Amino acid sequence: MTRIELVRRPQHSALFSVLSPFIAVLITALIGGIMFAMLGKSPIGGLYAYFIEPLTEIWSIHELIIKATPLILIAVGLSVCFLSNNWNIGAEGQFIMGAIAGSVMPVLYPGITGPMVLPLMLVMGMAGGAAWATIPAFLKARFGTNEILSSLMLVYVAELFLDWLVRGPWRNPEGFNFPETRSFHADAILPEMLSASGRAHYGFVFAILAALIVWFMLSRTLKGYEIRVLGESPRAGRFAGFSAKRMVFFAFIVSGALAGLAGIIEVSGAIGQLRPAISPGYGFTAIIVAFLGRLNPLGIVAAGLILALSYLGGEAAQISLGVSDKVANVFQGVLLFSVLACDTLIRYRVRFVSPQPAAAPEAVR
Amino acid sequence: MTASASEKPGPAPLLAVEGITKRFGDLVANDAVDFDILTGEIHALLGENGAGKSTLVKMLFGSLKPDAGRIVWNGERVSIPNPSAARHLGIGMVFQHFSLFDSLTVAENIALSLEDDVPLSTVADEARRLGEVYGLTLNPEALAGDLSVGERQRVEIIRCLLQEPSLIILDEPTSVLTPQEAERLFETLDKLKAEGKSILYISHKLDEVKRLCDRATVLRHGKVVAHCDPRAETAKSLAAMMVGEEVQAVRRTHDAPTEDKADRDIVLGVHNLDQPPLGPFSTPLRAIHMNVFAGEVFGIAGVAGNGQSELFEALSGEQLQDNPNVVTIGGAPAGRLGPNGRRRLGAAFAPEERFGHAAVATMPLTENILLSRHASDASAYQSGGRLGMLRRSALGRTLSRVVEAMDVRKSGENPDAGTLSGGNLQKLILGREFDRRPRLFIVNQPTWGVDAGAAARIRQALMDAATAGAGALVISQDLDELLEMCDRVAVIHDGEMSEPLDARTVTREQLGLLMGGAEPEKHHGVAA
């Protein structure tokens, strides 16, 4: 039997660094097609409904932008975390806490209006997300706690906190006991960009700005250099005089603030009030976005649009094909696995070898 | 010492190595090595770090292929293409660094290394039985992660014994053991020997070799310098064989600072530096005291793992001191300053590990130059004030200067550091510091694993810097290098440093004894 071996490349392959996201998307489409066939649907029709149909109408492109906005904002922040070797898995929680903190003004002080309300909300949203992200950062820097676990667990705390708020103290007094806050007043709503053709709001501009700023920081400044050095080799970073502990805080605070900003933008731009569930898992999907975009903020903009399409496609396929909307999650999961698997090609060459009789497996060393 | 390969007609050797040679590029790691091991003997392979012991053993265990020479096993010429073939012949090896999965039990770890499917309970029973026979008490159900270092080694030994080898190779087995654990290991080895098994014992610890071994082969610079009976030798004579007696012609390019030290600037002062161990395998530093003067090269000799890396990190500011006055650079207290603060005082550092400490393999050379210079040369490499924008053109110019000055060979304009050979990368790492014209160099193993040409260039550049008035602290295991470059040499052993000795008058024997932990002979001391 032929054996497949992975041979480490002497250098990272530049070709596959570029190709690997595309190969991953192809593999995902292939597996998606098989899945549709197994569900008894036409693979071509299914993939069309998923990935092409949502792009055929203007209003639908507006929806795409609305969905892409939080994904891009969060993933840009996560790129700073992941590049510096800080594994923030809790962006979903920071998103929710940002939404809650940003909603303090319109929910608790609906009487205060004026042009300053919206900027204040955005700043408070960023502060809320950053504060929530500081908890795992502190635990990691001070006690060496695994940030993957602590940040993830804080997601559930944030979700339940939001649930409690909208069912309890923040419930709309005129809302017939529905678990939601009062609707935001006009000054607290993020305006739409082209209201004639669809709902897309100015949040997308923030997402693009954030991507540009972080891209500039990562590629052109000493701070970005520090992030990359500490991510590649903490010991070399220490030799360079960089502090890994301070970087933990920096990375978590930046990504928490951007996730928080995404949260308040989603609430203020797309929903208009707080509800028990304000995110279809943006904080987790953004992890896929970050990796699909190769942790490069500009790549993340493209990746965010692709993943947003999978959300829209899920809704479209539910209507036109009658498949479960959970299929969207399957697509996202398959895509993440494909991206990570294809990244192997950057570092390794695949080699097929026919077995040698003498080559017994080597002992584990 | 007996320098001949005392070949008496007697029992045929179990293993004979004839004329084995191994080259890595220009470096001859093993040069026509001959030796043999008899059945039922403990044979020592003695030598300093870098003498070629590991290379030789890797060829015996099939991890490396010899370029020339023969290996004869039980009277038959054999080739050993891989470790599995070595095991089939009956050669077992216990590595210096253990390779156990922490989350698996002892029995599971052992089963993993067996080539046949054996039920776990059989493995556990067999491990327990072997443990009882050889005094290697072990609980096969224990998790490997919970074991002490000595117990982990026992697992490795049992793993090796299960293959029923007739020759067991032990690579520096006591380097991580406490004296008590080492004593138990010796008892086990004596038992194995009594059963007729042969053992190849690799070490540089002289007293162990004298206690344990029947014969010894001494390697230096890849060549066999002696076959001897360690019990008939003294620690002194063994040390002399290991480090070499002949005095090399020392070529000094600068005037050694002599009597007028009081007038010279102290560029590095260390006063009573104590540091607790930083981790389970870290050596504590004890009351280190030294002064490095402007214009001198100060050497620190010692066997690896005696506190050199810890000392380096304490001096580079990667580890801070509690009291600022414990370390002074150019007269200024530096104990509370990090690496960049110390660099701004005029110090430059080059650590031992090139990849992952001195350089980042996946980053281009310009970014590796920035690694140690972004703060000390902030005005040259950054613009935009607090924005801290990088000036790539300035970095590119520095790279060309360094490449030119140190003759760094590279492919392409600005390749990743990982593509450079060890010697060229080391030239770049030191070159980026020379380019700053610092007043103090602190370098750890500057020519370790570097080809001869690059090593000569690095040494020359360090001596030239001293001639120009800088002070240099060179931590090295290579005595030849230290005696060639240094004005004064001290020895570090187990985190303690000896008095500095005058490099012009000190003998290798004295240094070898100090490196082995013997008491210094006081009258040779030259106080700083």
Side-chain angles (χ1 to χ4, degrees):
Chain A
M1 205 182 84
T2 314
R3 202 149 47 94
I4 302 171
E5 273 188 1
L6 292 176
V7 186
R8 186 176 271 276
R9 295 178 192 272
Q11 268 175 277
H12 285 196
S13 160
L15 175 70
F16 278 101
S17 297
V18 177
L19 277 187
S20 116
F22 294 98
I23 300 176
V25 170
L26 262 181
I27 292 176
T28 309
L30 200 70
I31 295 177
I34 295 170
M35 183 174 66
F36 282 124
M38 287 165 69
L39 288 169
K41 314 284 177 196
S42 145
I44 304 289
L47 290 174
Y48 178 82
Y50 239 88
F51 293 112
I52 310 291
E53 213 174 85
L55 299 177
T56 52
E57 287 182 67
I58 287 288
W59 69 264
S60 171
I61 288 177
H62 276 265
E63 293 301 313
L64 184 76
I65 284 173
I66 290 176
K67 293 257 187 307
T69 297
L71 290 176
I72 294 169
L73 272 171
I74 299 170
V76 162
L78 289 180
S79 72
V80 173
C81 267
F82 295 163
L83 280 173
S84 64
N85 218 357
N86 288 300
W87 299 98
N88 179 7
I89 307 299
E92 180 84 357
Q94 293 141 25
F95 177 93
I96 291 170
M97 290 315 266
I100 292 173
S103 304
V104 166
M105 290 296 297
V107 172
L108 294 186
Y109 308 101
I112 302 178
T113 55
M116 282 316 291
V117 171
L118 194 58
L120 193 62
M121 284 166 64
L122 297 179
V123 169
M124 285 172 73
M126 291 174 81
W132 202 242
T134 310
I135 300 171
F138 172 78
L139 292 174
K140 179 181 183 183
R142 181 72 180 79
F143 302 110
T145 314
N146 184 325
E147 75 273 25
I148 298 176
L149 287 178
S150 56
S151 64
L152 177 63
M153 290 192 291
L154 284 167
V155 171
Y156 306 110
V157 177
E159 280 177 352
L160 292 170
F161 182 58
L162 172 67
D163 196 82
W164 173 74
L165 274 183
V166 295
R167 290 177 200 279
W170 283 18
R171 191 176 51 196
N172 184 1
E174 295 110 46
F176 309 104
N177 264 341
F178 277 107
E180 53 192 34
T181 63
R182 65 174 80 241
S183 294
F184 291 3
H185 56 75
D187 283 342
I189 295 286
L190 199 60
E192 291 167 356
M193 288 192 287
L194 301 161
S195 23
S197 58
R199 299 198 304 136
H201 51 73
Y202 275 98
F204 192 64
V205 176
F206 284 102
I208 300 295
L209 269 179
L212 285 173
I213 292 170
V214 172
W215 170 81
F216 180 81
M217 175 184 77
L218 286 174
S219 62
R220 293 285 185 271
T221 70
L222 187 69
K223 195 71 198 174
Y225 175 73
E226 180 181 344
I227 290 166
R228 286 179 290 126
V229 168
L230 282 170
E232 285 286 343
S233 165
R235 195 141 179 245
R238 199 158 51 117
F239 181 65
F242 299 140
S243 159
K245 282 190 179 176
R246 251 180 284 160
M247 181 52 66
V248 173
F249 282 101
F250 178 82
F252 267 90
I253 285 173
V254 166
S255 81
L258 285 175
L261 181 64
I264 187 57
I265 282 177
E266 177 73 9
V267 170
S268 149
I271 304 177
Q273 63 183 170
L274 280 179
R275 293 175 189 159
I278 53 172
S279 158
Y282 286 135
F284 295 115
T285 309
I287 298 171
I288 309 175
V289 173
F291 280 103
L292 187 62
R294 308 219 55 79
L295 301 184
N296 177 331
L298 302 185
I300 283 170
V301 172
L305 289 168
I306 292 175
L307 265 294
L309 188 57
S310 78
Y311 276 117
L312 280 192
E315 289 169 12
Q318 198 178 3
I319 296 161
S320 62
L321 298 177
V323 295
S324 159
D325 63 339
K326 293 286 180 284
V327 170
N329 296 43
V330 175
F331 263 115
Q332 292 167 2
V334 170
L335 186 58
L336 177 63
F337 276 117
S338 309
V339 168
L340 296 179
C342 288
D343 276 4
T344 311
L345 296 172
I346 299 171
R347 285 163 186 255
Y348 295 91
R349 224 153 31 84
V350 180
R351 196 173 66 176
F352 297 93
V353 281
S354 26
Q356 303 163 341
E362 207 176 295
V364 179
R365 285 224 234 114
Chain B
M1 71 178 251
T2 49
S4 68
S6 52
E7 277 291 336
K8 288 171 212 127
L14 174 70
L15 172 87
V17 169
E18 296 168 5
I20 283 271
T21 299
K22 179 76 195 174
R23 290 186 200 86
F24 298 106
D26 294 339
L27 180 83
V28 185
N30 276 180
D31 191 355
V33 170
D34 289 316
F35 79 102
D36 56 56
I37 301 170
L38 304 176
T39 303
E41 79 164 339
I42 304 185
H43 193 109
L45 197 54
L46 262 175
E48 288 186 286
N49 296 75
K53 293 172 297 186
S54 303
T55 308
L56 180 57
V57 164
K58 279 183 187 156
M59 287 189 282
L60 293 181
F61 199 58
S63 313
L64 282 176
K65 235 192 166 86
D67 294 329
R70 310 200 305 157
I71 299 173
V72 178
W73 177 258
N74 272 329
E76 275 177 55
R77 181 174 181 178
V78 292
S79 75
I80 307 176
N82 54 46
S84 157
R87 274 192 289 269
H88 281 295
L89 284 176
I91 300 176
M93 172 130 188
V94 177
F95 289 93
Q96 187 177 0
H97 301 286
F98 309 137
S99 45
L100 302 178
F101 289 102
D102 284 352
S103 53
L104 299 182
T105 66
V106 168
E108 285 167 338
N109 266 297
I110 294 174
L112 270 177
S113 68
L114 300 178
E115 290 177 10
D116 313 312
D117 275 335
V118 183
L120 210 55
S121 57
T122 318
V123 173
D125 290 346
E126 189 62 9
R128 205 173 271 124
R129 189 188 65 80
L130 280 171
E132 275 162 22
V133 172
Y134 295 108
L136 299 160
T137 27
L138 258 187
N139 173 11
E141 275 84 45
L143 279 181
D146 296 338
L147 301 184
S148 74
V149 179
E151 288 171 318
R152 290 169 155 253
Q153 188 178 52
R154 275 177 232 158
V155 180
E156 295 274 357
I157 294 174
I158 286 180
R159 189 144 98 168
C160 175
L161 289 176
L162 273 174
Q163 325 260 357
E164 300 188 341
S166 28
L167 170 66
I168 301 164
I169 304 173
L170 292 145
D171 190 0
E172 311 233 342
T174 57
S175 58
V176 290
L177 298 187
T178 64
Q180 293 75 11
E181 286 174 326
E183 194 47 48
R184 292 183 66 172
L185 172 70
F186 298 156
E187 283 164 20
T188 303
L189 296 183
D190 282 335
K191 256 188 206 134
L192 287 166
K193 175 188 160 186
E195 275 188 7
K197 296 206 188 292
S198 305
I199 292 164
L200 181 60
Y201 190 89
I202 301 159
S203 183
H204 52 239
K205 294 191 182 166
L206 307 174
D207 47 343
E208 279 175 12
V209 169
K210 279 176 66 67
R211 143 96 171 70
L212 206 60
C213 301
D214 305 301
R215 290 195 300 156
T217 298
V218 185
L219 284 180
R220 173 153 43 91
H221 295 322
K223 288 190 180 125
V224 173
V225 292
H227 297 284
C228 62
D229 175 357
R231 285 170 187 150
E233 302 287 338
T234 61
K236 225 173 182 175
S237 63
L238 285 173
M241 285 182 234
M242 254 168 67
V243 299
E245 291 174 310
E246 78 280 7
V247 177
Q248 294 217 336
V250 174
R251 184 175 47 92
R252 236 180 273 272
T253 55
H254 62 285
D255 300 325
T258 45
E259 287 71 38
D260 54 339
K261 272 185 197 132
D263 305 339
R264 306 183 82 106
D265 290 339
I266 295 177
V267 287
L268 172 71
V270 180
H271 315 286
N272 241 333
L273 169 60
D274 278 300
Q275 184 177 281
L278 303 168
F281 297 111
S282 158
T283 310
L285 299 175
R286 297 175 236 249
I288 303 246
H289 185 94
M290 68 178 140
N291 286 319
V292 178
F293 296 95
E296 84 163 336
V297 181
F298 186 104
I300 297 181
V303 174
N306 273 292
Q308 287 97 327
S309 321
E310 289 82 358
L311 177 62
F312 177 86
E313 295 198 359
L315 296 180
S316 72
E318 289 164 87
Q319 289 296 331
L320 297 183
Q321 287 75 48
D322 294 331
N323 180 341
N325 293 310
V326 167
V327 174
T328 61
I329 293 172
R336 297 297 301 159
L337 297 177
N340 288 325
R342 296 184 192 200
R343 287 186 181 113
R344 286 197 193 95
L345 289 176
F349 311 101
E352 174 184 8
E353 289 286 323
R354 289 188 276 272
F355 289 124
H357 193 176
V360 181
T362 51
M363 288 189 163
L365 295 184
T366 46
E367 301 206 341
N368 273 295
I369 283 183
L370 194 62
L371 197 68
S372 71
R373 295 184 61 174
H374 61 89
S376 57
D377 300 65
S379 58
Y381 300 130
Q382 290 178 44
S383 60
R386 289 198 46 111
L387 261 183
M389 281 157 62
L390 300 179
R391 295 179 55 185
R392 290 182 191 274
S393 56
L395 279 169
R397 282 196 297 278
T398 307
L399 176 62
S400 330
R401 266 204 317 274
V402 170
V403 165
E404 169 91 30
M406 293 300 283
D407 185 28
V408 179
R409 314 271 169 84
K410 59 186 171 64
S411 56
E413 189 59 34
N414 188 17
D416 283 358
T419 64
L420 262 61
S421 74
N424 280 309
L425 183 60
Q426 186 71 352
K427 284 193 279 188
L428 181 97
I429 287 164
L430 283 154
R432 79 180 171 203
E433 309 300 336
F434 289 126
D435 187 64
R436 276 177 53 208
R437 309 200 176 287
R439 296 168 59 204
L440 168 66
F441 288 92
I442 298 177
V443 296
N444 190 6
Q445 318 298 351
T447 61
W448 181 79
V450 163
D451 61 275
R457 188 159 203 123
I458 288 165
R459 289 181 195 138
Q460 193 62 51
L462 277 168
M463 287 195 287
D464 290 348
T467 309
L473 178 71
V474 180
I475 306 172
S476 176
Q477 296 173 45
D478 185 342
L479 282 186
D480 291 337
E481 167 174 278
L482 291 175
L483 292 177
E484 181 187 339
M485 293 169 66
C486 296
D487 303 297
R488 292 185 297 155
V489 181
V491 174
I492 190 165
H493 178 265
D494 201 18
E496 276 181 281
M497 219 171 83
S498 73
E499 285 293 311
L501 304 163
D502 190 323
R504 288 166 305 182
T505 56
V506 71
T507 64
R508 280 154 196 278
E509 205 173 63
Q510 279 176 301
L511 291 175
L513 280 173
L514 285 170
M515 284 159 68
E519 277 298 303
E521 291 168 62
K522 294 220 162 50
H523 53 91
H524 285 290
V526 177

